[in-house]
Structure formats: C-alpha cells, structure tokens
Short mmCIF file of all heavy atoms in Angstrom, two decimals:
data_model
loop_
_atom_site.label_atom_id
_atom_site.label_comp_id
_atom_site.label_asym_id
_atom_site.label_seq_id
_atom_site.Cartn_x
_atom_site.Cartn_y
_atom_site.Cartn_z
N MET A 681 -125.53 146.88 -14.84
CA MET A 681 -125.26 145.50 -14.56
C MET A 681 -124.78 145.39 -13.12
O MET A 681 -123.93 146.15 -12.67
CB MET A 681 -124.17 144.99 -15.52
CG MET A 681 -123.73 143.59 -15.24
SD MET A 681 -122.52 143.12 -16.49
CE MET A 681 -121.49 142.08 -15.54
N ALA A 682 -125.29 144.45 -12.41
CA ALA A 682 -124.88 144.24 -11.03
C ALA A 682 -124.24 142.85 -10.91
O ALA A 682 -124.57 141.94 -11.66
CB ALA A 682 -126.08 144.33 -10.11
N PHE A 683 -123.31 142.74 -9.98
CA PHE A 683 -122.72 141.44 -9.71
C PHE A 683 -122.30 141.39 -8.26
O PHE A 683 -122.24 142.40 -7.58
CB PHE A 683 -121.55 141.12 -10.65
CG PHE A 683 -120.37 142.02 -10.48
CD1 PHE A 683 -119.33 141.69 -9.64
CD2 PHE A 683 -120.30 143.22 -11.17
CE1 PHE A 683 -118.23 142.52 -9.49
CE2 PHE A 683 -119.20 144.06 -11.03
CZ PHE A 683 -118.17 143.71 -10.18
N SER A 684 -122.00 140.20 -7.80
CA SER A 684 -121.57 140.06 -6.41
C SER A 684 -120.26 139.29 -6.37
O SER A 684 -119.95 138.52 -7.28
CB SER A 684 -122.63 139.32 -5.58
OG SER A 684 -122.79 138.00 -6.06
N ILE A 685 -119.48 139.56 -5.35
CA ILE A 685 -118.23 138.83 -5.14
C ILE A 685 -118.18 138.40 -3.68
O ILE A 685 -118.74 139.04 -2.80
CB ILE A 685 -116.99 139.68 -5.50
CG1 ILE A 685 -116.94 140.97 -4.69
CG2 ILE A 685 -116.95 139.98 -6.98
CD1 ILE A 685 -115.68 141.76 -4.88
N ARG A 686 -117.50 137.33 -3.46
CA ARG A 686 -117.34 136.83 -2.09
C ARG A 686 -116.00 137.32 -1.55
O ARG A 686 -114.97 137.20 -2.22
CB ARG A 686 -117.38 135.31 -2.07
CG ARG A 686 -118.70 134.74 -2.51
CD ARG A 686 -118.71 133.22 -2.31
NE ARG A 686 -119.76 132.57 -3.05
CZ ARG A 686 -121.05 132.60 -2.76
NH1 ARG A 686 -121.47 133.31 -1.74
NH2 ARG A 686 -121.93 131.95 -3.49
N LEU A 687 -116.03 137.88 -0.36
CA LEU A 687 -114.83 138.37 0.29
C LEU A 687 -114.73 137.75 1.67
O LEU A 687 -115.75 137.51 2.32
CB LEU A 687 -114.88 139.89 0.45
CG LEU A 687 -115.01 140.75 -0.80
CD1 LEU A 687 -115.21 142.20 -0.42
CD2 LEU A 687 -113.78 140.60 -1.67
N THR A 688 -113.50 137.56 2.11
CA THR A 688 -113.31 137.18 3.50
C THR A 688 -113.61 138.40 4.36
O THR A 688 -113.68 139.53 3.84
CB THR A 688 -111.86 136.72 3.76
OG1 THR A 688 -110.99 137.84 3.57
CG2 THR A 688 -111.44 135.57 2.84
N ASP A 689 -113.77 138.20 5.64
CA ASP A 689 -114.01 139.34 6.53
C ASP A 689 -112.86 140.34 6.44
O ASP A 689 -113.07 141.55 6.41
CB ASP A 689 -114.18 138.87 7.98
CG ASP A 689 -115.51 138.16 8.20
OD1 ASP A 689 -116.43 138.35 7.38
OD2 ASP A 689 -115.62 137.42 9.19
N GLU A 690 -111.64 139.82 6.37
CA GLU A 690 -110.47 140.69 6.29
C GLU A 690 -110.47 141.50 4.99
O GLU A 690 -110.20 142.70 4.99
CB GLU A 690 -109.19 139.86 6.38
CG GLU A 690 -107.93 140.68 6.46
CD GLU A 690 -106.68 139.81 6.62
OE1 GLU A 690 -106.76 138.75 7.27
OE2 GLU A 690 -105.64 140.21 6.08
N GLU A 691 -110.78 140.85 3.86
CA GLU A 691 -110.84 141.55 2.58
C GLU A 691 -111.94 142.61 2.59
O GLU A 691 -111.74 143.73 2.10
CB GLU A 691 -111.11 140.54 1.45
CG GLU A 691 -109.95 139.62 1.18
CD GLU A 691 -110.32 138.45 0.28
OE1 GLU A 691 -111.51 138.05 0.23
OE2 GLU A 691 -109.40 137.92 -0.39
N ARG A 692 -113.09 142.27 3.15
CA ARG A 692 -114.21 143.22 3.22
C ARG A 692 -113.82 144.44 4.05
O ARG A 692 -114.06 145.58 3.65
CB ARG A 692 -115.44 142.55 3.83
CG ARG A 692 -116.65 143.49 3.93
CD ARG A 692 -117.84 142.82 4.61
NE ARG A 692 -117.52 142.24 5.91
CZ ARG A 692 -117.37 142.93 7.05
NH1 ARG A 692 -117.50 144.24 7.04
NH2 ARG A 692 -117.09 142.32 8.18
N MET A 693 -113.18 144.20 5.19
CA MET A 693 -112.78 145.31 6.06
C MET A 693 -111.77 146.21 5.35
O MET A 693 -111.85 147.45 5.43
CB MET A 693 -112.21 144.77 7.37
CG MET A 693 -113.28 144.18 8.27
SD MET A 693 -112.64 143.32 9.74
CE MET A 693 -111.47 144.45 10.40
N LEU A 694 -110.83 145.62 4.64
CA LEU A 694 -109.84 146.40 3.91
C LEU A 694 -110.52 147.23 2.82
O LEU A 694 -110.25 148.43 2.68
CB LEU A 694 -108.79 145.48 3.29
CG LEU A 694 -107.71 146.15 2.44
CD1 LEU A 694 -106.89 147.13 3.28
CD2 LEU A 694 -106.82 145.11 1.82
N ALA A 695 -111.41 146.60 2.06
CA ALA A 695 -112.11 147.31 0.98
C ALA A 695 -112.97 148.45 1.54
O ALA A 695 -112.98 149.56 0.99
CB ALA A 695 -112.96 146.33 0.18
N GLU A 696 -113.68 148.19 2.61
CA GLU A 696 -114.51 149.23 3.21
C GLU A 696 -113.67 150.37 3.75
O GLU A 696 -114.03 151.54 3.63
CB GLU A 696 -115.38 148.63 4.31
CG GLU A 696 -116.51 147.77 3.78
CD GLU A 696 -117.29 147.05 4.86
OE1 GLU A 696 -116.81 146.97 6.02
OE2 GLU A 696 -118.39 146.55 4.55
N SER A 697 -112.54 150.04 4.32
CA SER A 697 -111.63 151.06 4.85
C SER A 697 -111.11 151.95 3.72
O SER A 697 -111.07 153.17 3.84
CB SER A 697 -110.45 150.36 5.50
OG SER A 697 -110.15 150.88 6.72
N TYR A 698 -110.72 151.31 2.63
CA TYR A 698 -110.22 152.06 1.48
C TYR A 698 -111.31 152.99 0.93
O TYR A 698 -111.06 154.17 0.67
CB TYR A 698 -109.75 151.11 0.38
CG TYR A 698 -109.36 151.83 -0.88
CD1 TYR A 698 -108.12 152.45 -0.99
CD2 TYR A 698 -110.22 151.91 -1.96
CE1 TYR A 698 -107.76 153.14 -2.13
CE2 TYR A 698 -109.88 152.60 -3.11
CZ TYR A 698 -108.65 153.21 -3.18
OH TYR A 698 -108.31 153.90 -4.32
N ALA A 699 -112.51 152.45 0.75
CA ALA A 699 -113.61 153.25 0.22
C ALA A 699 -113.89 154.45 1.14
O ALA A 699 -114.11 155.57 0.66
CB ALA A 699 -114.86 152.39 0.06
N LYS A 700 -113.87 154.21 2.43
CA LYS A 700 -114.12 155.29 3.38
C LYS A 700 -113.05 156.37 3.29
O LYS A 700 -113.35 157.57 3.28
CB LYS A 700 -114.19 154.72 4.81
CG LYS A 700 -114.59 155.74 5.84
CD LYS A 700 -114.72 155.10 7.21
CE LYS A 700 -115.11 156.14 8.25
NZ LYS A 700 -115.25 155.55 9.59
N LEU A 701 -111.78 155.96 3.19
CA LEU A 701 -110.67 156.93 3.07
C LEU A 701 -110.80 157.76 1.80
O LEU A 701 -110.43 158.94 1.78
CB LEU A 701 -109.32 156.21 3.06
CG LEU A 701 -108.82 155.70 4.40
CD1 LEU A 701 -107.58 154.84 4.20
CD2 LEU A 701 -108.51 156.87 5.32
N GLN A 702 -111.32 157.16 0.74
CA GLN A 702 -111.48 157.86 -0.53
C GLN A 702 -112.81 158.59 -0.63
O GLN A 702 -113.07 159.26 -1.62
CB GLN A 702 -111.36 156.85 -1.69
CG GLN A 702 -110.03 156.15 -1.77
CD GLN A 702 -108.89 157.11 -2.02
OE1 GLN A 702 -108.99 157.98 -2.87
NE2 GLN A 702 -107.81 156.95 -1.29
N ALA A 703 -113.64 158.42 0.38
CA ALA A 703 -114.97 159.05 0.42
C ALA A 703 -115.82 158.64 -0.79
O ALA A 703 -116.47 159.46 -1.42
CB ALA A 703 -114.86 160.57 0.53
N ILE A 704 -115.78 157.34 -1.08
CA ILE A 704 -116.58 156.79 -2.18
C ILE A 704 -117.28 155.53 -1.68
O ILE A 704 -116.91 154.97 -0.64
CB ILE A 704 -115.70 156.46 -3.41
CG1 ILE A 704 -114.58 155.47 -3.07
CG2 ILE A 704 -115.16 157.72 -4.05
CD1 ILE A 704 -113.72 155.04 -4.24
N SER A 705 -118.25 155.10 -2.44
CA SER A 705 -118.96 153.88 -2.07
C SER A 705 -118.07 152.67 -2.32
O SER A 705 -117.10 152.73 -3.08
CB SER A 705 -120.24 153.74 -2.88
OG SER A 705 -119.93 153.46 -4.24
N LEU A 706 -118.42 151.58 -1.68
CA LEU A 706 -117.68 150.34 -1.88
C LEU A 706 -117.76 149.92 -3.35
O LEU A 706 -116.76 149.51 -3.94
CB LEU A 706 -118.23 149.25 -0.96
CG LEU A 706 -117.46 147.95 -0.88
CD1 LEU A 706 -116.00 148.19 -0.48
CD2 LEU A 706 -118.13 147.01 0.13
N GLY A 707 -118.93 150.06 -3.94
CA GLY A 707 -119.10 149.72 -5.35
C GLY A 707 -118.21 150.55 -6.25
O GLY A 707 -117.58 150.04 -7.19
N GLU A 708 -118.14 151.85 -5.97
CA GLU A 708 -117.28 152.75 -6.76
C GLU A 708 -115.81 152.38 -6.58
O GLU A 708 -115.03 152.43 -7.54
CB GLU A 708 -117.52 154.21 -6.38
CG GLU A 708 -116.73 155.21 -7.20
CD GLU A 708 -117.08 155.23 -8.68
OE1 GLU A 708 -118.18 154.81 -9.06
OE2 GLU A 708 -116.21 155.68 -9.46
N ALA A 709 -115.42 152.00 -5.38
CA ALA A 709 -114.02 151.60 -5.13
C ALA A 709 -113.65 150.39 -5.98
O ALA A 709 -112.59 150.36 -6.60
CB ALA A 709 -113.82 151.30 -3.64
N PHE A 710 -114.53 149.40 -6.01
CA PHE A 710 -114.26 148.21 -6.82
C PHE A 710 -114.26 148.55 -8.31
O PHE A 710 -113.42 148.05 -9.07
CB PHE A 710 -115.27 147.10 -6.52
CG PHE A 710 -114.91 146.31 -5.30
CD1 PHE A 710 -115.61 146.47 -4.13
CD2 PHE A 710 -113.86 145.40 -5.33
CE1 PHE A 710 -115.27 145.75 -2.99
CE2 PHE A 710 -113.51 144.67 -4.21
CZ PHE A 710 -114.22 144.84 -3.03
N LYS A 711 -115.17 149.39 -8.73
CA LYS A 711 -115.26 149.78 -10.13
C LYS A 711 -113.97 150.49 -10.56
O LYS A 711 -113.39 150.18 -11.60
CB LYS A 711 -116.47 150.69 -10.34
CG LYS A 711 -116.73 151.07 -11.77
CD LYS A 711 -118.01 151.90 -11.85
CE LYS A 711 -118.24 152.47 -13.22
NZ LYS A 711 -119.45 153.30 -13.28
N ARG A 712 -113.51 151.44 -9.76
CA ARG A 712 -112.28 152.17 -10.09
C ARG A 712 -111.08 151.23 -10.13
O ARG A 712 -110.24 151.31 -11.04
CB ARG A 712 -112.01 153.26 -9.06
CG ARG A 712 -112.92 154.45 -9.19
CD ARG A 712 -112.55 155.52 -8.19
NE ARG A 712 -113.50 156.62 -8.17
CZ ARG A 712 -113.38 157.67 -7.39
NH1 ARG A 712 -112.36 157.80 -6.57
NH2 ARG A 712 -114.30 158.62 -7.43
N ALA A 713 -110.99 150.34 -9.15
CA ALA A 713 -109.86 149.40 -9.10
C ALA A 713 -109.87 148.48 -10.32
O ALA A 713 -108.82 148.23 -10.93
CB ALA A 713 -109.92 148.57 -7.81
N LEU A 714 -111.04 148.00 -10.68
CA LEU A 714 -111.15 147.12 -11.84
C LEU A 714 -110.69 147.81 -13.11
O LEU A 714 -109.86 147.29 -13.86
CB LEU A 714 -112.60 146.63 -12.00
CG LEU A 714 -112.90 145.85 -13.27
CD1 LEU A 714 -112.11 144.54 -13.31
CD2 LEU A 714 -114.39 145.60 -13.39
N PHE A 715 -111.21 149.01 -13.36
CA PHE A 715 -110.87 149.69 -14.60
C PHE A 715 -109.43 150.21 -14.61
O PHE A 715 -108.80 150.28 -15.67
CB PHE A 715 -111.88 150.79 -14.92
CG PHE A 715 -113.17 150.20 -15.44
CD1 PHE A 715 -114.28 150.09 -14.63
CD2 PHE A 715 -113.24 149.71 -16.73
CE1 PHE A 715 -115.45 149.51 -15.10
CE2 PHE A 715 -114.40 149.14 -17.22
CZ PHE A 715 -115.51 149.03 -16.39
N GLU A 716 -108.89 150.53 -13.45
CA GLU A 716 -107.47 150.91 -13.39
C GLU A 716 -106.60 149.72 -13.76
O GLU A 716 -105.63 149.85 -14.52
CB GLU A 716 -107.12 151.42 -11.99
CG GLU A 716 -105.69 151.91 -11.90
CD GLU A 716 -105.37 152.52 -10.54
OE1 GLU A 716 -106.23 153.25 -10.00
OE2 GLU A 716 -104.27 152.25 -10.03
N LYS A 717 -106.93 148.56 -13.24
CA LYS A 717 -106.18 147.34 -13.55
C LYS A 717 -106.29 147.01 -15.04
O LYS A 717 -105.29 146.68 -15.68
CB LYS A 717 -106.72 146.17 -12.70
CG LYS A 717 -106.06 144.86 -12.97
CD LYS A 717 -104.64 144.84 -12.49
CE LYS A 717 -104.08 143.43 -12.57
NZ LYS A 717 -102.65 143.39 -12.31
N ILE A 718 -107.49 147.12 -15.60
CA ILE A 718 -107.67 146.86 -17.03
C ILE A 718 -106.82 147.82 -17.86
O ILE A 718 -106.12 147.41 -18.79
CB ILE A 718 -109.16 146.97 -17.42
CG1 ILE A 718 -109.94 145.79 -16.84
CG2 ILE A 718 -109.33 147.04 -18.94
CD1 ILE A 718 -111.45 145.93 -16.96
N GLN A 719 -106.84 149.10 -17.51
CA GLN A 719 -106.06 150.10 -18.25
C GLN A 719 -104.56 149.83 -18.15
O GLN A 719 -103.85 149.91 -19.14
CB GLN A 719 -106.38 151.51 -17.75
CG GLN A 719 -105.69 152.60 -18.54
CD GLN A 719 -106.17 152.70 -19.98
OE1 GLN A 719 -107.36 152.71 -20.23
NE2 GLN A 719 -105.26 152.75 -20.92
N ASP A 720 -104.09 149.50 -16.94
CA ASP A 720 -102.67 149.20 -16.76
C ASP A 720 -102.23 148.02 -17.62
O ASP A 720 -101.20 148.07 -18.29
CB ASP A 720 -102.36 148.90 -15.29
CG ASP A 720 -102.43 150.13 -14.40
OD1 ASP A 720 -102.51 151.25 -14.94
OD2 ASP A 720 -102.41 149.96 -13.17
N GLU A 721 -103.01 146.95 -17.61
CA GLU A 721 -102.64 145.77 -18.39
C GLU A 721 -102.73 146.06 -19.89
O GLU A 721 -101.92 145.57 -20.66
CB GLU A 721 -103.51 144.58 -17.99
CG GLU A 721 -103.17 144.14 -16.58
CD GLU A 721 -103.51 142.69 -16.29
OE1 GLU A 721 -103.74 141.92 -17.24
OE2 GLU A 721 -103.54 142.35 -15.11
N TYR A 722 -103.70 146.85 -20.30
CA TYR A 722 -103.81 147.25 -21.70
C TYR A 722 -102.57 148.04 -22.12
O TYR A 722 -101.98 147.78 -23.17
CB TYR A 722 -105.08 148.08 -21.91
CG TYR A 722 -105.23 148.58 -23.33
CD1 TYR A 722 -105.73 147.75 -24.34
CD2 TYR A 722 -104.88 149.89 -23.66
CE1 TYR A 722 -105.86 148.22 -25.63
CE2 TYR A 722 -105.01 150.35 -24.95
CZ TYR A 722 -105.49 149.52 -25.94
OH TYR A 722 -105.61 149.98 -27.22
N ASP A 723 -102.18 149.01 -21.29
CA ASP A 723 -100.99 149.82 -21.60
C ASP A 723 -99.74 148.96 -21.73
O ASP A 723 -98.92 149.17 -22.63
CB ASP A 723 -100.78 150.89 -20.52
CG ASP A 723 -101.84 151.98 -20.54
OD1 ASP A 723 -102.59 152.08 -21.53
OD2 ASP A 723 -101.94 152.72 -19.54
N VAL A 724 -99.58 147.99 -20.83
CA VAL A 724 -98.41 147.10 -20.88
C VAL A 724 -98.43 146.29 -22.17
O VAL A 724 -97.40 146.13 -22.85
CB VAL A 724 -98.37 146.17 -19.64
CG1 VAL A 724 -97.36 145.06 -19.83
CG2 VAL A 724 -98.05 146.98 -18.39
N THR A 725 -99.59 145.78 -22.54
CA THR A 725 -99.70 144.98 -23.77
C THR A 725 -99.38 145.81 -25.01
O THR A 725 -98.62 145.37 -25.88
CB THR A 725 -101.12 144.38 -23.88
OG1 THR A 725 -101.35 143.54 -22.75
CG2 THR A 725 -101.28 143.56 -25.15
N VAL A 726 -99.92 147.02 -25.08
CA VAL A 726 -99.67 147.89 -26.23
C VAL A 726 -98.18 148.26 -26.29
O VAL A 726 -97.58 148.24 -27.37
CB VAL A 726 -100.56 149.15 -26.17
CG1 VAL A 726 -100.12 150.19 -27.19
CG2 VAL A 726 -102.01 148.77 -26.39
N ALA A 727 -97.58 148.56 -25.16
CA ALA A 727 -96.16 148.91 -25.13
C ALA A 727 -95.30 147.73 -25.58
O ALA A 727 -94.35 147.91 -26.36
CB ALA A 727 -95.75 149.35 -23.73
N LYS A 728 -95.62 146.53 -25.12
CA LYS A 728 -94.85 145.35 -25.52
C LYS A 728 -94.98 145.11 -27.01
O LYS A 728 -93.98 144.82 -27.68
CB LYS A 728 -95.31 144.12 -24.74
CG LYS A 728 -94.49 142.89 -25.08
CD LYS A 728 -94.89 141.69 -24.28
CE LYS A 728 -94.12 140.44 -24.58
NZ LYS A 728 -93.44 140.32 -25.84
N GLU A 729 -96.19 145.23 -27.55
CA GLU A 729 -96.38 145.06 -28.99
C GLU A 729 -95.59 146.08 -29.78
O GLU A 729 -94.96 145.76 -30.80
CB GLU A 729 -97.86 145.14 -29.34
CG GLU A 729 -98.66 143.93 -28.89
CD GLU A 729 -100.16 144.08 -29.10
OE1 GLU A 729 -100.61 145.15 -29.58
OE2 GLU A 729 -100.88 143.11 -28.78
N ALA A 730 -95.59 147.33 -29.33
CA ALA A 730 -94.84 148.38 -30.03
C ALA A 730 -93.34 148.10 -29.96
O ALA A 730 -92.63 148.26 -30.97
CB ALA A 730 -95.16 149.74 -29.41
N TYR A 731 -92.86 147.68 -28.80
CA TYR A 731 -91.43 147.37 -28.66
C TYR A 731 -91.05 146.19 -29.54
O TYR A 731 -90.02 146.21 -30.22
CB TYR A 731 -91.07 147.10 -27.20
CG TYR A 731 -89.61 146.77 -27.03
CD1 TYR A 731 -88.64 147.76 -27.14
CD2 TYR A 731 -89.19 145.47 -26.79
CE1 TYR A 731 -87.29 147.47 -27.03
CE2 TYR A 731 -87.85 145.15 -26.67
CZ TYR A 731 -86.90 146.16 -26.78
OH TYR A 731 -85.57 145.86 -26.66
N ASP A 732 -91.88 145.14 -29.54
CA ASP A 732 -91.60 143.96 -30.37
C ASP A 732 -91.54 144.34 -31.85
O ASP A 732 -90.68 143.86 -32.60
CB ASP A 732 -92.65 142.87 -30.15
CG ASP A 732 -92.54 142.20 -28.79
OD1 ASP A 732 -91.51 142.39 -28.11
OD2 ASP A 732 -93.50 141.50 -28.39
N GLU A 733 -92.44 145.22 -32.28
CA GLU A 733 -92.43 145.69 -33.67
C GLU A 733 -91.16 146.51 -33.94
O GLU A 733 -90.52 146.35 -34.99
CB GLU A 733 -93.66 146.55 -33.94
CG GLU A 733 -93.76 147.04 -35.37
CD GLU A 733 -94.99 147.88 -35.62
OE1 GLU A 733 -96.00 147.72 -34.90
OE2 GLU A 733 -94.94 148.71 -36.55
N TYR A 734 -90.78 147.35 -33.01
CA TYR A 734 -89.56 148.16 -33.12
C TYR A 734 -88.35 147.26 -33.30
O TYR A 734 -87.53 147.47 -34.19
CB TYR A 734 -89.44 149.01 -31.86
CG TYR A 734 -88.17 149.81 -31.70
CD1 TYR A 734 -87.99 151.01 -32.36
CD2 TYR A 734 -87.15 149.37 -30.85
CE1 TYR A 734 -86.83 151.76 -32.20
CE2 TYR A 734 -86.00 150.10 -30.68
CZ TYR A 734 -85.84 151.30 -31.35
OH TYR A 734 -84.69 152.02 -31.19
N VAL A 735 -88.25 146.22 -32.48
CA VAL A 735 -87.11 145.30 -32.55
C VAL A 735 -87.16 144.48 -33.84
O VAL A 735 -86.15 144.31 -34.51
CB VAL A 735 -87.08 144.37 -31.31
CG1 VAL A 735 -86.08 143.26 -31.47
CG2 VAL A 735 -86.77 145.18 -30.06
N SER A 736 -88.34 144.00 -34.22
CA SER A 736 -88.44 143.18 -35.43
C SER A 736 -88.15 143.98 -36.70
O SER A 736 -87.76 143.41 -37.72
CB SER A 736 -89.81 142.51 -35.53
OG SER A 736 -90.81 143.44 -35.82
N ASP A 737 -88.32 145.29 -36.65
CA ASP A 737 -87.97 146.14 -37.78
C ASP A 737 -86.47 146.42 -37.86
O ASP A 737 -86.02 147.15 -38.73
CB ASP A 737 -88.73 147.48 -37.70
CG ASP A 737 -90.20 147.34 -38.04
OD1 ASP A 737 -90.59 146.29 -38.59
OD2 ASP A 737 -90.96 148.29 -37.75
N GLY A 738 -85.71 145.84 -36.91
CA GLY A 738 -84.26 146.00 -36.93
C GLY A 738 -83.76 147.22 -36.19
O GLY A 738 -82.57 147.53 -36.25
N CYS A 739 -84.62 147.93 -35.52
CA CYS A 739 -84.20 149.12 -34.79
C CYS A 739 -83.53 148.71 -33.48
O CYS A 739 -83.87 147.70 -32.88
CB CYS A 739 -85.39 150.02 -34.50
SG CYS A 739 -86.17 150.64 -35.99
N LYS A 740 -82.59 149.49 -33.06
CA LYS A 740 -81.90 149.25 -31.80
C LYS A 740 -81.81 150.55 -31.03
O LYS A 740 -81.70 151.62 -31.62
CB LYS A 740 -80.48 148.72 -32.03
CG LYS A 740 -80.43 147.35 -32.66
CD LYS A 740 -78.99 146.90 -32.81
CE LYS A 740 -78.94 145.53 -33.45
NZ LYS A 740 -77.58 145.07 -33.63
N SER A 741 -81.84 150.44 -29.74
CA SER A 741 -81.66 151.64 -28.93
C SER A 741 -80.17 151.90 -28.77
O SER A 741 -79.34 151.05 -29.07
CB SER A 741 -82.33 151.48 -27.57
OG SER A 741 -81.75 150.41 -26.87
N ARG A 742 -79.86 153.07 -28.31
CA ARG A 742 -78.45 153.42 -28.08
C ARG A 742 -78.38 154.34 -26.87
O ARG A 742 -79.38 154.93 -26.47
CB ARG A 742 -77.84 154.07 -29.31
CG ARG A 742 -78.55 155.31 -29.76
CD ARG A 742 -78.06 155.75 -31.12
NE ARG A 742 -78.79 156.95 -31.51
CZ ARG A 742 -78.28 157.92 -32.20
NH1 ARG A 742 -77.03 157.85 -32.60
NH2 ARG A 742 -79.00 158.97 -32.50
N PRO A 743 -77.22 154.48 -26.32
CA PRO A 743 -77.09 155.34 -25.13
C PRO A 743 -77.48 156.78 -25.44
O PRO A 743 -77.21 157.30 -26.52
CB PRO A 743 -75.60 155.25 -24.77
CG PRO A 743 -75.13 153.99 -25.42
CD PRO A 743 -75.97 153.81 -26.65
N ILE A 744 -78.13 157.42 -24.48
CA ILE A 744 -78.57 158.80 -24.67
C ILE A 744 -77.40 159.74 -24.90
O ILE A 744 -77.52 160.74 -25.61
CB ILE A 744 -79.45 159.26 -23.47
CG1 ILE A 744 -80.15 160.60 -23.77
CG2 ILE A 744 -78.62 159.39 -22.21
CD1 ILE A 744 -81.23 160.51 -24.78
N GLY A 745 -76.24 159.40 -24.35
CA GLY A 745 -75.04 160.22 -24.55
C GLY A 745 -74.69 160.39 -26.01
O GLY A 745 -74.22 161.44 -26.44
N GLU A 746 -74.90 159.33 -26.80
CA GLU A 746 -74.63 159.42 -28.24
C GLU A 746 -75.56 160.45 -28.90
O GLU A 746 -75.12 161.21 -29.78
CB GLU A 746 -74.82 158.06 -28.90
CG GLU A 746 -73.74 157.06 -28.58
CD GLU A 746 -73.96 155.71 -29.26
OE1 GLU A 746 -74.71 155.65 -30.26
OE2 GLU A 746 -73.37 154.73 -28.80
N LEU A 747 -76.81 160.46 -28.51
CA LEU A 747 -77.74 161.44 -29.07
C LEU A 747 -77.31 162.85 -28.71
O LEU A 747 -77.32 163.76 -29.55
CB LEU A 747 -79.17 161.18 -28.58
CG LEU A 747 -80.20 162.20 -29.01
CD1 LEU A 747 -80.36 162.23 -30.52
CD2 LEU A 747 -81.54 161.92 -28.33
N TRP A 748 -76.94 163.07 -27.44
CA TRP A 748 -76.53 164.41 -27.02
C TRP A 748 -75.31 164.88 -27.83
O TRP A 748 -75.25 166.04 -28.24
CB TRP A 748 -76.22 164.46 -25.53
CG TRP A 748 -77.39 164.19 -24.63
CD1 TRP A 748 -77.38 163.40 -23.52
CD2 TRP A 748 -78.74 164.67 -24.75
NE1 TRP A 748 -78.63 163.36 -22.94
CE2 TRP A 748 -79.50 164.14 -23.66
CE3 TRP A 748 -79.40 165.49 -25.64
CZ2 TRP A 748 -80.84 164.40 -23.48
CZ3 TRP A 748 -80.75 165.76 -25.45
CH2 TRP A 748 -81.44 165.21 -24.39
N LYS A 749 -74.36 163.96 -28.06
CA LYS A 749 -73.18 164.31 -28.85
C LYS A 749 -73.58 164.70 -30.28
O LYS A 749 -73.08 165.66 -30.84
CB LYS A 749 -72.18 163.16 -28.89
CG LYS A 749 -71.43 162.96 -27.60
CD LYS A 749 -70.48 161.78 -27.69
CE LYS A 749 -69.85 161.51 -26.36
NZ LYS A 749 -69.03 160.28 -26.36
N GLU A 750 -74.50 163.92 -30.84
CA GLU A 750 -74.99 164.21 -32.19
C GLU A 750 -75.65 165.58 -32.27
O GLU A 750 -75.46 166.33 -33.22
CB GLU A 750 -76.05 163.16 -32.58
CG GLU A 750 -75.69 162.32 -33.77
CD GLU A 750 -76.79 161.32 -34.05
OE1 GLU A 750 -77.89 161.75 -34.49
OE2 GLU A 750 -76.54 160.12 -33.83
N LEU A 751 -76.44 165.91 -31.28
CA LEU A 751 -77.16 167.17 -31.28
C LEU A 751 -76.25 168.37 -31.06
O LEU A 751 -76.55 169.47 -31.53
CB LEU A 751 -78.26 167.15 -30.22
CG LEU A 751 -79.40 166.15 -30.49
CD1 LEU A 751 -80.35 166.11 -29.31
CD2 LEU A 751 -80.15 166.50 -31.77
N ASP A 752 -75.16 168.18 -30.35
CA ASP A 752 -74.21 169.27 -30.12
C ASP A 752 -73.37 169.56 -31.34
O ASP A 752 -72.82 170.65 -31.48
CB ASP A 752 -73.28 168.95 -28.94
CG ASP A 752 -74.00 169.12 -27.61
OD1 ASP A 752 -75.03 169.83 -27.54
OD2 ASP A 752 -73.51 168.51 -26.63
N ALA A 753 -73.24 168.59 -32.24
CA ALA A 753 -72.37 168.74 -33.42
C ALA A 753 -72.94 169.68 -34.44
O ALA A 753 -73.99 170.14 -34.48
CB ALA A 753 -72.11 167.38 -34.06
#
C-alpha cells in the first residue's frame, strides 16, 4: 500500500536528515516512526487498563520498604 503526505520544506528537510543519519530510506523512516508510535500508545493503553483493573479489584500499592522488611523476617 502506498500513500502520500504533505510536508513543509522544513519538515521534509528534517525527515530526510533523520533518514540519512539512520542510513534508511525516507519511506522506512516514516514506517518505523509510525509503528513505534502505535506500539507506544498501545503499551500505554494496556498498562492503564491493567492498572484500572488492579485498583478496581481493591488492590493497593505499598512502599517497597515494607516488602523488604517482610522478606527479611
């Protein structure tokens, strides 16, 4: 699948510079950036859902010092 995006001259120069520094094509640079962003947002969403479930189940966090004391006993 191919698509096009409109960039200002400044945006184009920045993108081309980045691609050149990474020794990849401009298309590959955009592809990597897109999928990295998707993965980051997915990870944040999954983490938030897990935390919300943890809290709704009545669980609470506690200071790590308490755990260390428990483990030493």
Side-chain angles (χ1 to χ4, degrees):
M681 175 177 147
F683 65 93
S684 64
I685 58 173
R686 296 186 197 287
L687 301 173
T688 65
D689 288 341
E690 186 177 326
E691 290 168 335
R692 180 184 53 78
M693 288 172 47
L694 177 62
E696 288 174 345
S697 226
Y698 174 80
K700 186 176 180 180
L701 284 172
Q702 298 298 315
I704 58 177
S705 70
L706 189 55
E708 183 64 22
F710 277 106
K711 185 177 173 181
R712 286 183 187 181
L714 172 64
F715 284 102
E716 184 175 319
K717 178 69 171 171
I718 289 170
Q719 184 66 48
D720 289 349
E721 292 204 16
Y722 177 80
D723 290 346
V724 168
T725 300
V726 169
K728 183 178 179 339
E729 288 174 358
Y731 179 73
D732 289 346
E733 182 180 334
Y734 173 80
V735 170
S736 71
D737 286 346
C739 297
K740 294 182 181 179
S741 62
R742 58 191 180 146
I744 191 71
E746 288 181 20
L747 176 63
W748 296 137
K749 286 179 186 174
E750 241 180 69
L751 294 174
D752 284 340

